[in-house]
Amino acid sequence: VPMHAAGEWRETPVFVRDALAPGHRIRGPAIIAEANATTVVEPGWEAAVTPLDHLVLRRVEARPRRVAIGTDVDPVMLEVFNNLFMSIAEQMGVRLANTAYSVNIKERLDFSCALFDADGGLVANAPHLPVHLGSMGESVRTVIRENAGRIRPGNVYMLNAPYNGGTHLPDITVITPVFEERPANGAAPGILFWVASRGHHAEIGGVTPGSMPPGSRHIEEEGVLFDNFLLVEEGRLRARETIAQLASARYRSRNPDQNMADLRAMIAANEKGVQELRKMVAHFGLEVVHAYMKHVQDNTEEAVRRVIDVLRDGTFAYEMDNGALVRVAIAIDCARRSARIDFTGTSAQLPDNFNAPAAVTMAAVLYVFRTLVADEIPLNAGCLKPLEVVVPEGSMLRPRYPAAVVAGNVETSQYVTDALYGALGVMAGAQGTMNNFTFGNDRYQYYETICGGSGAGRLEARAGGEMHGFDGTDAVHTHMTNTRLTDPEVLEWRFPVLLESFAIRRGSGGAGRWHGGDGVVRRVRFLEPMTAAILSGHRRVPPFGAAGGGDGATGRNWVERADGTRVALGGADSAELAAGDVFVIETPGGGGYGPLSG
C-alpha cells in the first residue's frame, strides 16, 4: 500500500502479525497489522520477533544530519518558543509552590517567576501576579548595574528595595544569572540569561505583624529593606548574614526561620529555570535561543502596535479614598503606531503609604496594554516598546526615599489600572482594591487578599454598529492581583481562627446594560488575642460605572466584639482582637457598563 514516511510516499508492504514467527526481521518502511493494533516501521528502523514472541523495534540506520532551524523568524518556531519560554517560567512556579513553607506562597500562590535576556529585558513569565512581573525587570537591571564585573557563577542576589525595582518590602525578589556551561577557547563564562522569582513574605518586620501596616509613614516602619543583597556566594548560602540583616532593622522580622525556608524555595525555583534554559540551549543552540528571545519580544511589540492602531485618545482622573488623585492622559500617534501615557497632574508624594514605586506604575501600564491583545503571547518587555510613559519625579507614582509604599503596590496599582481602562473607555472600574487583611502576633503572622467584583465592559462593535459588551464577574481577584485564598481547612489548621462565613455580597455590583460583578462578605472569628489590620480602598469612593452604567458599592470593614459591640473601621485601619471577636470585611462590587435603557 502507499504510505507517507520520511518526507515522501513509498510503496510499503503490509504484514499480518499472526503470520510472523520468532526470528523474523522486517526492515522499514513496513506496516504490521494485528487484531487490535497497527505498528508502523519507519525507514531506518527494523522490527524483530523475539523467542518470546515479542515485537521489538530498533534503529538500524543513523539518523540523517539535520540542518539548524536558523535565526530568521519562523511563525511555527515562534509559537514553539513562546510556549517553551512560558513553560520554563511555569515549571519554576511549580517548584516554588511545592518547596515553600509559608501559607502565603505555598497555598495562596502569592509569587511570580520569569525569564530575562542578558540585559534584563523580560522575555516571558508564567501567568502569576501582574504587579510583580511588570516590575521585576528593573530589579534585574539593578543587579546587573550594581555588580558589573563582579558577578560569578553560583551567585544569587535578592532585593526588595522599592526604589530599585521593588514593589513593597514583603515582596522579595531572588535573581540568578545563567552562565555559559562550556565557554569556547577556555574563556571566562559569560552571562547568557537571568531568571528571577518574587514572593510575598507574610512577615518581613514592620510595626504590625504581617508587614502590611495601615498607618506607616516611613519605609523603615514597613520592615527590613534589602538592596542588592548577595544571598548565595559562588554556591554558598549566606544564611548567617541574611538572618543578621533580618534581625538588624528597627522593626525586625518576627519569623526569620520562615523567611529563610521560603528563600531556599525561591533559590530552588530559579535553579529549575537555569537547568531548563541550559537544556534549551543544548537542544537548539545558543544563537537560536538568543534570536528567538528577541523574536518573541518583537512579536509582542507588533501585537501591541496593532491594538494601538484602533485606540483613541482619552483622559481620566480617579480620586482615591485619601483624597489623592491619579490622572492619566493617553495620546495615540497613528503615524508612529505608538502611544504616550502621561501621568502629569497626579498627586505629589503622599505622607501616608499609598505611594507607588515607579516599577509598579510601569507594571500597571504593561498589564493593561497586554490585556488588550487577544493573541496568545507572553507578557514581556516588547509590550512597552510602542509606549512612552511619563511619570513625574516626586509624584505619588514615583516617590523618593524614605516614602512609605506598602499600599502603593497593592492599592494604588489598582487605581492606576482602572484609570487607564477609564481613559481608553473599554471597561468600568473593578473593585479596585486587594482588601489586604493581616493578623498575627510574635508566633503567628498571616496575610491574604480578598476578592470582589470585576467591572463590566465593551467588546468590538457588531455589524450595524451595535455595541457588544460583557458583565462583570462576582467574587474574583481583579487586575494586578492573581492570588488564591487559603483553603479554610488550611487556614484553620495553621492559625487560631475560625472562618465563620464567606459569601457573595449580592447586589453590590453596579447596574447597567452589562452589570458589574458582586463583591463578597468575609467573617473571621479569632480564637486567641491578636493584632489585625486592613489595608483597603474604595471604602469612600465607589468603583466607577462607564458609558452610563452605575457605580459599584463601596466596601466596609468592622469588628464585632464578643459582647456584641460593633466597632467601625476605616479603609486603612487596625484593631486588637480578643478571643471571640469577629473581623468582618465587605468588599466592593464592580462598575456597570452602558445605561439600563440601552
Side-chain angles (χ1 to χ4, degrees):
V1 296
M3 182 181 78
H4 194 272
E8 60 181 87
W9 287 97
R10 302 163 185 261
E11 286 298 316
T12 305
V14 179
F15 296 87
V16 177
R17 177 71 173 85
D18 290 343
L20 300 179
H24 278 141
R25 295 179 178 275
I26 300 169
R27 295 289 290 262
I31 296 172
I32 301 173
E34 51 188 306
N36 298 307
T38 301
T39 301
V40 176
V41 185
E42 294 279 354
W45 288 77
E46 180 184 76
V49 182
T50 70
L52 296 176
D53 200 32
H54 296 161
L55 189 65
V56 176
L57 276 71
R58 65 186 181 93
R59 177 173 286 280
V60 293
E61 296 177 9
R63 185 189 300 271
R65 178 177 293 273
R66 301 181 67 180
V67 178
I69 64 173
T71 57
D72 292 336
V73 64
D74 173 84
V76 173
M77 293 309 301
L78 181 66
E79 189 66 16
V80 168
F81 274 94
N82 273 341
N83 285 278
L84 283 173
F85 292 138
M86 286 281 285
S87 171
I88 292 173
E90 288 171 349
Q91 289 180 69
M92 292 169 64
V94 170
R95 177 171 287 188
L96 179 50
N98 286 343
T99 56
Y101 173 79
S102 70
V103 169
N104 207 50
I105 294 178
K106 178 176 287 294
E107 301 292 337
R108 288 189 56 250
L109 307 183
D110 197 342
F111 65 80
S112 298
C113 300
L115 318 179
F116 301 83
D117 59 29
D119 298 322
L122 178 63
V123 173
N125 60 265
H128 294 145
L129 272 67
V131 75
H132 287 177
L133 293 159
S135 54
M136 267 203 282
E138 188 174 335
S139 297
V140 175
R141 288 188 290 273
T142 294
V143 168
I144 294 172
R145 181 181 66 250
E146 298 296 325
N147 300 282
R150 295 182 287 110
I151 302 172
R152 301 284 180 266
N155 283 9
V156 180
Y157 302 85
M158 77 173 189
L159 63 80
N160 64 355
Y163 318 102
N164 269 334
T167 50
H168 58 181
L169 298 189
D171 285 341
I172 296 179
T173 307
V174 173
I175 300 166
T176 305
V178 184
F179 281 85
E180 295 176 277
E181 281 194 285
R182 299 177 185 85
N185 305 319
I191 297 173
L192 306 178
F193 323 105
W194 293 83
V195 293
S197 55
R198 175 172 286 174
H200 184 116
H201 287 235
E203 173 57 45
I204 195 66
V207 294
T208 58
S211 306
M212 295 288 290
S216 58
R217 301 174 72 88
H218 190 290
I219 191 67
E220 71 174 9
E221 296 175 339
E222 298 179 350
V224 183
L225 189 147
F226 290 91
D227 195 359
N228 186 35
F229 183 84
L230 184 59
L231 179 60
V232 179
E233 184 174 17
E234 298 185 39
R236 179 185 71 86
L237 176 65
R238 300 176 72 236
R240 185 183 307 168
E241 295 89 339
T242 307
I243 292 172
Q245 183 142 337
L246 287 166
S248 66
R250 180 181 176 187
Y251 300 100
R252 62 183 177 81
S253 173
R254 297 168 181 82
N255 200 340
D257 289 341
Q258 180 173 270
N259 294 134
M260 292 307 302
D262 285 346
L263 287 172
R264 287 184 172 94
M266 295 169 76
I267 294 167
N270 285 9
E271 182 58 27
K272 179 63 174 177
V274 172
Q275 294 168 0
E276 294 301 318
L277 279 168
R278 284 178 173 161
K279 288 180 184 178
M280 184 185 287
V281 169
H283 185 81
F284 292 102
L286 178 59
E287 188 178 5
V288 171
V289 174
H290 271 153
Y292 273 89
M293 279 191 166
K294 182 177 184 303
H295 294 328
V296 298
Q297 292 174 336
D298 291 345
N299 183 56
T300 300
E301 175 188 350
E302 176 57 27
V304 172
R305 290 193 190 278
R306 287 198 299 270
V307 166
I308 290 173
D309 288 341
V310 299
L311 296 179
R312 294 191 296 267
D313 294 355
T315 62
F316 201 83
Y318 208 4
E319 184 184 2
M320 300 171 64
D321 286 355
N322 60 4
L325 194 69
V326 175
R327 187 183 297 277
V328 64
I330 300 177
I332 305 300
D333 186 332
C334 295
R336 297 175 54 201
R337 303 175 71 211
S338 64
R340 189 174 194 265
I341 299 95
D342 190 350
F343 290 96
T344 299
T346 293
S347 295
Q349 182 170 314
L350 303 170
D352 61 25
N353 57 23
F354 281 79
N355 300 290
V360 170
T361 306
M362 296 301 292
V365 173
L366 180 62
Y367 164 78
V368 166
F369 278 83
R370 169 60 187 88
T371 60
L372 299 176
V373 177
D375 302 337
E376 291 290 335
I377 56 174
L379 185 154
N380 60 45
C383 287
L384 290 175
K385 290 181 181 179
L387 309 177
E388 178 191 358
V389 184
V390 179
V391 185
E393 186 71 35
S395 72
M396 62 177 287
L397 301 183
R398 190 184 287 272
R400 302 185 180 96
Y401 178 87
V405 299
V406 70
N409 175 56
V410 290
E411 295 300 301
T412 307
S413 66
Q414 300 281 58
Y415 283 88
V416 173
T417 302
D418 278 329
L420 289 165
Y421 283 126
L424 293 168
V426 297
M427 191 185 305
Q431 69 158 336
T433 174
M434 298 190 195
N435 305 293
N436 306 271
F437 180 47
T438 54
F439 60 78
N441 52 30
D442 286 342
R443 182 179 179 188
Y444 301 102
Q445 303 88 35
Y446 177 70
Y447 166 67
E448 69 181 16
T449 58
I450 305 173
C451 52
S454 70
R458 69 172 172 85
L459 299 172
E460 76 286 348
R462 288 175 170 167
E466 181 188 358
M467 188 167 64
H468 179 40
F470 57 89
D471 293 327
T473 304
D474 303 336
V476 291
H477 283 82
T478 56
H479 298 325
M480 301 307 286
T481 181
N482 188 34
T483 58
R484 295 196 308 196
L485 267 169
T486 306
D487 289 340
E489 295 82 1
V490 175
L491 178 66
E492 296 174 354
W493 174 55
R494 294 282 293 265
F495 302 97
V497 297
L498 175 69
L499 182 59
E500 197 167 79
S501 66
F502 184 41
I504 294 175
R505 185 187 174 197
R506 298 296 182 188
S508 55
R513 183 176 181 185
W514 294 282
H515 62 79
D518 287 337
V520 301
V521 183
R522 190 166 175 86
R523 298 174 57 91
V524 180
R525 184 176 294 275
F526 286 77
L527 305 181
E528 66 178 63
M530 287 197 193
T531 300
I534 183 72
L535 194 53
S536 58
H538 290 291
R539 267 51 182 177
R540 182 181 70 85
V541 177
F544 66 89
D551 295 340
T554 55
R556 295 190 298 169
N557 316 308
W558 70 88
V559 172
E560 293 178 5
R561 300 295 184 187
D563 62 4
T565 305
R566 177 165 165 164
V567 180
L569 298 176
D573 214 338
S574 63
E576 295 300 321
L577 279 293
D581 291 348
V582 180
F583 204 108
V584 185
I585 302 165
E586 290 187 347
T587 68
Y593 195 95
L596 278 171
S597 59

